[in-house]
Amino acid sequence: MSIFVCLLPMLDAEKSAQFREEHLAYLDRQRSLGRIIANGRFADGWGGMVIYKAESLGEVKAWAENDPYVIKKARTYDIHEWDMVSEHFKLG
């Protein structure tokens, strides 16, 4: 199991507001499947970030491409595998 950071830069703020509930519902489903460690938006309006745990980059890419924000072109995405260092968090 690896950790991936999915950055979701803003493409269209109006579409982002319009499809926010769909996006959040999608993330809730992903979380219920044990795929999401954390998520949130950036306070400066740049976009948001989702931290996934997955077996492969391909899995996370598929999940990102099915996010309503990406489908509706409110946001784009950029994924990076992350070697997280933490004394307080353990990946289970």
Side-chain angles (χ1 to χ4, degrees):
M1 192 69 61
S2 297
I3 299 174
F4 296 86
V5 173
C6 180
L7 298 169
L8 295 164
M10 185 73 66
L11 289 176
D12 186 318
E14 190 173 305
K15 284 184 180 181
S16 186
Q18 180 181 358
F19 298 112
R20 185 169 192 266
E21 293 305 317
E22 288 179 49
H23 164 73
L24 294 176
Y26 179 76
L27 294 184
D28 283 343
R29 286 191 302 276
Q30 295 293 74
R31 185 175 292 99
S32 73
L33 295 170
R35 297 175 175 169
I36 291 180
I37 294 171
N39 66 281
R41 59 184 170 177
F42 293 106
D44 65 2
W46 180 86
M49 179 174 76
V50 181
I51 302 175
Y52 286 103
K53 58 182 177 179
E55 294 295 331
S56 69
L57 174 64
E59 276 187 319
V60 179
K61 184 178 180 192
W63 299 337
E65 289 176 350
N66 283 298
D67 186 321
Y69 270 173
V70 174
I71 292 170
K72 307 286 187 171
K73 301 197 183 326
R75 309 263 179 102
T76 187
Y77 69 91
D78 188 21
I79 303 168
H80 299 272
E81 188 170 356
W82 187 32
D83 289 330
M84 183 180 75
V85 176
S86 175
E87 295 177 16
H88 304 286
F89 178 82
K90 303 287 184 212
L91 183 61

